[in-house]
Amino acid sequence: MAPPMAVAIHPVSETTTIAPLDPLTVGGVAKRRNAAGRLNCGVAAMTCSDLFKGTACHKKKAKKWDHHMSRESLSREPSSLKGAASYLKIPGLISLGGGLPSSENFPIEHLDVKVPAVGRFSEAETKESGVILRAGKHDFAEGRSLYDLSIALNYGQGTGSAQLLRFVTEHTEIVHKPPYQDWRCALTVGSTSSLDMTYRLFTRPGDCILTEEYTFPTAVETAAPMGVRTIGIRMDEQGLIPSHMDEILSNWDQSKRQARRPILLYTVPSGQNPTGATQGLERRKELYKVAQKYDLYIIEDEPYYFLQMEPYTKGGGAPPAPPPATHEDFLKALVPSLLSMDIDGRVMRLDSFSKVIAPGSRVGWVTASEQIIECIIRHNEVSTQNPSGISQLIIWKLLDESWGHSGYMDWLVHLRKEYTKRRNVILKACEDHLPARITSYNPPAAGMFLWIKVNPAEHPDFGYKGLAAIENEIFQACIERGVLLSLGSWFCAERHAPHKDLFFRATFAAAESEQMGEAIRRFGEALRVIFRTSE
C-alpha cells in the first residue's frame, strides 16, 4: 500500500493561527497545536519553522549579512528538483517528475524501539518497564501516526522532516525565545557538518577565525584545509575573555597578519571543550557587545548546554540538590544563551542530540536568521540533503510521540543529575590521587570534561627539556600504566605558536565510577614517577 506523496502541509494550518503573545511554555504546546490542526506532511513535504513558531510582529527583523557572506554562498540557487516538491500537495496530482521511489520497494516493514518511560530513565528501569514504540511503513496513510517509514525512508527536504522540525522549533522557542522576528531552524547531520557549512558560508582562503585559545580540534581542522587560520583568545575560569578579543580586533594589523580583520567567532559557551569552562551571564553580554562593536558573526556551539550542573563541594560528600520544582525553574537555572540575547540576528546556534540522546544519531539543528538558514538549506540540498530518515523518525517517536516536551525536559533534568554525579566522582578521585603541588583544576560547571593543569616547572629537567617533551613523557607514562588522557596541545587554536602551560583533558562521560577512580590513580602515579616525587 503506497501512501500519498507529500500530502499537503497546508499553509493555512499553522500560519493562520495567531499564536498568543505570551512566551511559549512546555504546557502551552498542546494548546498551540490544537489551534493549528493536524500536521499533514507526507514524502518530501516542504516546510519551515515559520509554520510552527509564535507570531512576533512586534519584534524587529535580523540584519542582513550579505557583506560578510562568501561568494560561494551568495551564488547558491535553490534546488530545482527539491523545489518541485511544492506541487505534490495539489490534490489529485500524479507525479512523474521526481525520483521518489515507491515505498513498496523499501525492505523494512516496521521498526520497534524500546525506550524509557517518563520518570523511569535508568537502563535497569528501561529493561524492566520500558515502552516499545513501533514505526510502521504506512502509519501516516492509515491514520496511526504523523510520521512513518514510507516518509522517513524516502528523500526529504534540506530543512529536515516537518515532524521533527516542528519539535525543535518549539523547543528552541521554549528555551531561548529568540528576540528578533525572522529566526528559523533547520535540521542537520550534527554540529560538525554545520560548522563546515558555516565556515564556507562566511570565509574565504586567507581569513582568520577567532576562538578560545584551547578549542574543539575539529574547529581548527575543518578551517585549515580551507586556507583559514584560527586565532586564540585568552581564557580564564569562565572561558573566553572578551577584553582580549577586543584587544585583538582593535589592534589588528592586516599587513602583518596577512589577513583581513576576522568577521567570525566560534565559541562553546557552556562546558567548553576541552576546558569545561562556562561563560556566566555577564561574560556572555560582554562577548556580545564586542561582537556588535566589530560586526562579528558568532557561531554558538552548545552541545553541553543542558549539562549544566550544581556547584561542587570539596570532598564530594554533599547531598545531591533536589530536582527543580517545575520545568520553568529548570530553564531559569540555566545560563541564558547567546541566542536569547541576540537582537541583531548575529548568532548561529548549533544544537545537537549527540550529547543528550546519542552521538550516532547524527541529528542536530541550527538556529539563525531566515537569510542564514536559507543558505544552510541551499547547502544541505547539494551535500548531506538531510539527516538520516531512520534517525529522524526514531528521535521524533521518542521525543514527540512518546515523551513530549514535558518528558524531554524531565530527561534533561535526569541527565544533569547523572553528569553531576560523574563530575563529583572524578573530582573526588583527583583530590585523593593527584599530587597537589604539581596539578590544579577548576571544577567544571557544565559539560563532560575536566581540564587538569600540570606545572612543568616542578619537573626535574625543566629548562633542559621542552614543554612538548615533558608532555609526551607524561603521556607515555600514562599509556604504560593503562590510562589514556588527551594532550592539551591537541586543543591549541594556534598549533604552531609557543605555549607556556601544560594541560591534560579527562572526560567523566564514559567510564564507570570505579574505573574513573582507578584511571585518575594511574595518572597520579605516572606524574609522581615522571616528576620524581612521593607526594
Side-chain angles (χ1 to χ4, degrees):
M1 174 184 174
M5 290 293 186
V7 174
I9 175 168
H10 300 289
V12 298
S13 66
E14 299 278 357
T15 56
T16 55
T17 300
I18 303 300
L21 294 179
D22 293 335
L24 183 63
T25 63
V26 170
V29 171
K31 180 179 178 182
R32 179 181 293 183
R33 289 188 179 188
N34 289 337
R38 187 177 188 268
L39 180 66
N40 292 309
C41 305
V43 175
M46 300 190 75
T47 187
C48 85
S49 289
D50 288 352
L51 301 175
F52 313 123
K53 67 183 194 182
T55 56
C57 298
H58 60 291
K59 297 178 182 178
K60 73 171 188 176
K61 290 191 173 184
K63 66 176 294 182
K64 297 297 184 181
W65 295 97
D66 304 70
H67 61 297
H68 279 349
M69 291 164 63
S70 67
R71 182 178 300 175
E72 173 188 347
S73 187
L74 290 170
S75 66
R76 290 193 187 277
E77 297 288 341
S79 165
S80 51
L81 291 176
K82 297 289 186 186
S86 64
Y87 297 105
L88 296 176
K89 65 186 178 184
I90 298 174
L93 181 78
I94 300 174
S95 173
L96 301 180
L100 301 171
S102 169
S103 62
E104 292 177 356
N105 294 318
F106 296 161
I108 303 174
E109 189 63 27
H110 70 260
L111 292 175
D112 286 347
V113 183
K114 191 174 186 180
V115 303
V118 173
R120 296 180 58 81
F121 292 124
S122 72
E123 189 173 53
E125 289 172 323
T126 303
K127 287 180 180 178
E128 177 188 330
S129 60
V131 178
I132 295 177
L133 307 178
R134 168 162 288 199
K137 188 184 284 188
H138 303 304
D139 290 348
F140 175 68
E142 294 169 0
R144 287 191 296 270
S145 179
L146 299 179
Y147 199 14
D148 63 18
L149 285 168
S150 73
I151 300 170
L153 294 177
N154 220 313
Y155 288 108
Q157 294 291 338
T159 54
S161 70
Q163 293 85 347
L164 189 54
L165 181 67
R166 178 173 71 169
F167 185 89
V168 301
T169 300
E170 292 165 346
H171 175 79
T172 299
E173 187 173 353
I174 291 167
V175 177
H176 306 290
K177 300 173 178 57
Y180 61 95
Q181 183 183 145
D182 53 333
W183 63 274
R184 287 184 178 179
C185 300
L187 297 179
T188 68
V189 297
S191 295
T192 301
S193 173
S194 303
L195 188 60
D196 174 77
M197 291 184 189
T198 309
Y199 283 177
R200 293 177 64 174
L201 199 163
F202 284 106
T203 68
R204 61 195 187 203
D207 276 354
C208 292
I209 294 170
L210 297 173
T211 187
E212 290 93 346
E213 61 180 329
Y214 294 99
T215 190
F216 180 38
T218 299
V220 178
E221 294 157 359
T222 300
M226 299 179 184
V228 175
R229 291 173 288 152
T230 46
I231 304 297
I233 303 166
R234 286 198 295 268
M235 306 175 70
D236 60 14
E237 67 279 359
Q238 285 196 53
L240 180 155
I241 301 174
S243 60
H244 185 233
M245 180 166 69
D246 194 335
E247 181 184 330
I248 290 172
L249 293 169
S250 64
N251 296 319
W252 191 266
D253 186 329
Q254 184 165 328
S255 60
K256 183 178 179 181
R257 297 273 194 174
Q258 292 294 295
R260 60 175 176 162
R261 194 169 68 191
I263 59 170
L264 203 58
L265 167 67
Y266 170 79
T267 183
V268 182
S270 307
Q272 197 259 355
N273 185 6
T275 67
T278 296
Q279 298 169 14
L281 174 59
E282 292 306 314
R283 177 64 58 90
R284 297 183 195 214
K285 289 180 178 178
E286 292 170 24
L287 183 158
Y288 191 81
K289 286 180 182 177
V290 175
Q292 286 182 308
K293 179 179 178 180
Y294 295 98
D295 200 23
L296 287 176
Y297 195 86
I298 303 169
I299 305 172
E300 178 186 26
D301 190 2
E302 279 283 37
Y304 316 106
Y305 185 72
F306 292 104
L307 302 184
Q308 296 182 41
M309 308 171 202
E310 300 293 335
Y312 177 71
T313 302
K314 190 172 177 63
T326 66
H327 297 132
E328 286 70 26
D329 289 344
F330 169 61
L331 294 176
K332 287 176 183 176
L334 302 174
V335 181
S337 64
L338 290 169
L339 175 63
S340 72
M341 59 185 72
D342 180 23
I343 58 175
D344 301 331
R346 68 173 63 253
V347 174
M348 174 189 283
R349 182 180 171 89
L350 311 185
D351 276 290
S352 172
F353 290 116
S354 292
K355 304 303 187 292
V356 294
I357 298 294
S361 68
R362 303 319 305 147
V363 179
W365 73 97
V366 296
T367 305
S369 65
E370 177 182 351
Q371 180 191 28
I372 300 303
I373 291 298
E374 282 300 312
C375 292
I376 294 294
I377 292 170
R378 298 288 83 79
H379 197 148
N380 279 341
E381 288 172 344
V382 295
S383 57
T384 59
Q385 297 206 25
N386 49 258
S388 158
I390 290 178
S391 290
Q392 291 188 74
L393 177 59
I394 290 173
I395 289 176
W396 179 82
K397 297 285 282 190
L398 172 66
L399 299 186
D400 195 306
E401 196 170 72
S402 179
W403 286 354
H405 286 282
S406 177
Y408 184 43
M409 287 294 171
D410 289 344
W411 169 255
L412 295 174
V413 171
H414 166 77
L415 272 189
R416 182 179 71 169
K417 180 181 72 174
E418 291 301 307
Y419 273 89
T420 299
K421 288 180 186 175
R422 287 177 163 273
R423 187 270 317 264
N424 293 351
V425 166
I426 200 169
L427 288 174
K428 180 62 168 62
C430 289
E431 293 170 5
D432 292 343
H433 299 301
L434 295 188
R437 182 170 55 87
I438 297 171
T439 60
S440 60
Y441 46 85
N442 292 312
M448 52 179 59
F449 303 114
L450 177 62
W451 190 235
I452 303 171
K453 186 174 184 178
V454 177
N455 184 2
E458 295 292 333
H459 193 283
D461 296 330
F462 180 70
Y464 169 70
K465 283 187 175 179
L467 206 63
I470 295 174
E471 181 186 54
N472 186 64
E473 186 181 13
I474 297 169
F475 181 75
Q476 293 302 325
C478 288
I479 296 298
E480 290 169 7
R481 285 158 180 79
V483 60
L484 175 66
L485 287 86
S486 297
L487 301 183
S489 59
W490 293 346
F491 302 92
C492 292
E494 300 180 46
R495 295 282 174 90
H496 304 296
H499 296 275
K500 59 180 175 47
D501 293 320
L502 184 60
F503 293 95
F504 285 83
R505 191 198 74 174
T507 179
F508 46 90
E512 298 302 321
S513 295
E514 289 186 4
Q515 291 179 318
M516 273 195 279
E518 176 60 18
I520 294 299
R521 188 198 66 77
R522 294 177 186 182
F523 179 48
E525 179 183 303
L527 290 173
R528 288 181 177 88
V529 169
I530 297 302
F531 282 76
R532 301 170 206 166
T533 179
S534 58
E535 180 196 347

